[in-house]
Amino acid sequence: MKPFTQESLRIIKKASEDNKLVIVVGAGVSMLSNFPSWKEVIDRFSGPFSEQKECYSQNEYLRIPQKYYNLRGHKEYYDLLREIFDLDLQSHQIHDEILNLKC
């Protein structure tokens, strides 16, 4: 095994042992539990001031929520986030598998 790989595994194992390991996964994992995709979220943010699109640029994925915040303000922005994500959903088996990972 290459030194970089060995060192990376050592760091991951230590973070896991110290209960400080953070696993970052894509939105697809949350979509397994019926959470909206990032595109669906952006569609909701873009509704009041622009047309929804089939595909957004990377730049738009960041700018559209910011534009909504700037135009509608803190309260409406977070009200919409709560409306989008305040769902009564069950976790998917993959979530349990991620939580049970042992490094």
Side-chain angles (χ1 to χ4, degrees):
M1 197 178 303
K2 294 182 178 182
F4 174 79
T5 303
Q6 287 178 320
E7 179 64 7
S8 296
L9 289 173
R10 184 193 70 72
I11 291 168
I12 291 168
K13 184 173 174 79
K14 172 120 175 59
S16 179
E17 289 168 353
D18 293 345
N19 231 7
K20 293 183 178 183
L21 181 62
V22 176
I23 298 174
V24 178
V25 297
V29 172
S30 296
M31 289 172 58
L32 292 170
S33 291
N34 295 318
F35 276 93
S37 69
W38 187 237
K39 184 199 177 301
E40 292 168 324
V41 172
I42 297 306
D43 284 344
R44 296 287 300 277
F45 278 119
S46 69
F49 50 81
S50 66
E51 272 187 42
Q52 296 175 357
K53 297 172 145 186
E54 189 64 34
C55 185
Y56 297 101
S57 70
Q58 283 185 317
N59 195 22
E60 288 173 311
Y61 276 118
L62 298 174
R63 287 183 182 260
I64 290 172
Q66 184 64 54
K67 184 176 180 181
Y68 186 96
Y69 183 92
N70 292 347
L71 291 172
R72 298 295 184 104
H74 181 88
K75 182 182 181 328
E76 284 191 43
Y77 177 84
Y78 283 99
D79 285 348
L80 181 56
L81 282 177
R82 277 189 279 286
E83 181 181 316
I84 293 169
F85 291 107
D86 188 18
L87 306 170
D88 186 22
L89 302 173
Q90 298 295 316
S91 66
H92 187 273
Q93 179 183 352
I94 191 71
H95 297 112
D96 297 328
E97 296 295 329
I98 292 169
L99 290 173
N100 289 326
L101 281 175
K102 302 288 184 219
C103 294

